[in-house]
Amino acid sequence: MIEISKIEQFDVFAGKQIMIAGPCSAESERQVMECALSLAAQGVRIFRAGVWKPRTRPGCFEGAGTPALKWLEQVKAQTGMAVTTEVANSRHVEAAMKAGVDILWIGARTTTSPFAVQEIADALKGADVPVLVKNPINAELELWMGAFERLSAAGITRLAAIHRGFSSYGERIYRYSPQWQIPVELRRLIPGLPIICDPSHMAGKRDLVAPLSQMALDMKADGLFIEVHTDPDHALSDNRQQITPQQFKQLTDSLMIHKDTTASDMAVLKPYRDKIQNIDRQIASLLAQRLDLAREAGDLKQMLNLAVLQPERYRSLADDMVAEGLKYGLNQEFVRAVFEALHAESINNQLDKYNKTK
Ligand code: PEP
Ligand code: MN
């Protein structure tokens, strides 16, 4: 059982959300202070800045390192904001704690490595500091859970998760695609765990930061973690995704914050929900009928000594279903994915039978 206690610094932003903002990297005293002062003036209470930067490829800016901790101390002293930075090993933990960093975060690349997370957890034994854990680079809930278990076993109870999207190969809209169902499942497994969204790393480009922020709130995120830079185009890291303090203001002003669902809201929704449930039941019955027929067809294939997979048949059925879906205005990719799942289950049933009778 992972014990979760409140992170006091999470007092909501403008009476709405937990808001953590600041540059990707602390680059210079001046850059850090300018950004911090403009965010503090907008009511932000937690300032982020990477001091040690884990870069996927060598040769990029790897952070200003330990000297930058002084700039964070100055942010605290001059603005009253709490500060947070990324730690990836025990030396970072010790230096950050010594400099009075209020909240630590573990980056996506680090969450992926149980050795590194354990080293951080060991360095944190007996310390009383909140830790935010970003999701691992790959969409594996177990690794994310493992990090919380290691930190919890070290006595850390002020914990929160940051969903920053997951890596995939090839062309895509987002730099790291969100997979909202994963943090939802994490929240179910660790009740009370705050889930914050980092739309900046998900987006990878400025224009998508605001829509992703709204999407996160629509998915009930508890807060946002946003990269803000006074001169994003010349930022030494992540220059395409950082936004200016002015753009940050527009973003926060435009956010639609949802209210909690009340009993009367539930009453308005009920007839629709009942109908949807009814349709889901009909779908379950149709699925069972489809599988029964597929099993019978499987017996025939076996009698006729035919292979289970008949690729032409598969393609023509898939195309037919997509065409049928288009008539009703259904999204092609969605219909294809549903068909693939249906077909895979039929084939698995037929294969099972083949193997049992061998
Ligand atoms: C960051 O927040 O600047 C960072 C390096 O993030 P991530 O670990 O999500 O890539
Ligand atoms: Mn970054």
Side-chain angles (χ1 to χ4, degrees), residues 52-74:
W52 301 281
K53 299 303 298 176
R55 308 316 301 272
T56 302
R57 308 277 302 269
C60 312
F61 175 64
E62 297 200 328
T66 315
L69 291 170
K70 286 229 167 43
W71 309 333
L72 296 185
E73 286 182 57
Q74 207 174 315

Side-chain angles (χ1 to χ4, degrees), residues 144-164:
W144 209 0
M145 271 301 284
F148 287 107
E149 285 161 352
R150 289 174 201 278
L151 292 163
S152 177
I156 304 293
T157 60
R158 288 186 290 163
L159 290 163
I162 302 180
H163 176 207
R164 49 78 82 196

Side-chain angles (χ1 to χ4, degrees), residues 71-333:
W71 309 333
L72 296 185
E73 286 182 57
Q74 207 174 315
V75 168
K76 285 180 62 161
Q78 286 194 24
T79 68
M81 282 193 283
V83 295
T84 177
T85 200
E86 171 169 354
V87 291
N89 59 41
S90 55
R91 278 174 295 111
H92 296 165
V93 171
E94 278 147 30
M97 300 281 291
K98 207 162 128 216
V101 171
D102 303 278
I103 300 174
L104 307 179
W105 94 70
I106 297 182
R109 288 159 194 78
T110 308
T111 310
T112 312
S113 160
F115 286 137
V117 175
Q118 191 57 52
E119 181 182 327
I120 294 169
D122 290 343
L124 283 170
K125 249 191 204 120
D128 183 22
V129 63
V131 183
L132 319 178
V133 184
K134 289 201 168 194
N135 63 251
I137 288 274
N138 54 319
E140 193 179 332
L141 178 60
E142 291 284 294
L143 271 173
W144 209 0
M145 271 301 284
F148 287 107
E149 285 161 352
R150 289 174 201 278
L151 292 163
S152 177
I156 304 293
T157 60
R158 288 186 290 163
L159 290 163
I162 302 180
H163 176 207
R164 49 78 82 196
F166 299 92
S167 180
S168 55
Y169 184 70
E171 271 294 304
R172 55 209 182 259
I173 305 170
Y174 300 120
R175 179 180 179 200
Y176 297 108
S177 306
Q179 293 207 36
W180 307 104
Q181 74 282 15
I182 298 182
V184 166
E185 179 62 5
L186 184 70
R187 200 201 299 264
R188 191 183 68 78
L189 294 171
I190 314 181
L193 181 74
I195 311 250
I196 297 167
C197 175
D198 169 352
S200 304
H201 288 87
M202 279 177 182
K205 39 184 134 15
R206 271 188 258 314
D207 295 353
L208 296 177
V209 176
L212 276 168
S213 301
Q214 185 59 55
M215 233 184 263
L217 297 191
D218 296 345
M219 294 304 290
K220 283 189 146 254
D222 298 298
L224 297 168
F225 188 88
I226 299 183
E227 286 190 342
V228 179
H229 194 289
T230 43
D231 184 8
D233 286 335
H234 297 102
L236 299 182
S237 57
D238 288 348
N239 60 338
R240 294 176 56 214
Q241 72 197 28
Q242 301 203 61
I243 57 174
T244 63
Q246 293 71 27
Q247 289 165 331
F248 176 78
K249 169 119 187 36
Q250 281 168 8
L251 184 157
T252 52
D253 284 347
S254 73
L255 286 178
M256 268 191 30
I257 315 279
H258 303 292
K259 63 179 181 67
D260 291 334
T261 317
T262 62
S264 81
D265 296 327
M266 297 281 268
V268 174
L269 287 172
K270 191 169 183 313
Y272 294 88
R273 289 183 159 168
D274 287 349
K275 279 188 195 150
I276 288 173
Q277 190 173 22
N278 212 350
I279 291 177
D280 287 348
R281 287 184 177 159
Q282 291 176 44
I283 292 175
S285 148
L286 285 171
L287 287 177
Q289 289 175 45
R290 188 188 196 283
L291 276 178
D292 280 346
L293 287 168
R295 274 189 217 105
E296 285 169 29
D299 292 343
L300 283 173
K301 283 186 200 165
Q302 196 171 16
M303 256 169 51
L304 299 168
N305 194 18
L306 299 175
V308 166
L309 183 67
Q310 303 279 323
E312 296 76 38
R313 165 82 180 147
Y314 170 77
R315 268 192 294 277
S316 82
L317 265 189
D319 292 345
D320 179 71
M321 189 157 164
V322 168
E324 201 60 22
L326 276 178
K327 282 191 208 158
Y328 300 103
L330 295 178
N331 174 315
Q332 292 193 44
E333 272 172 39

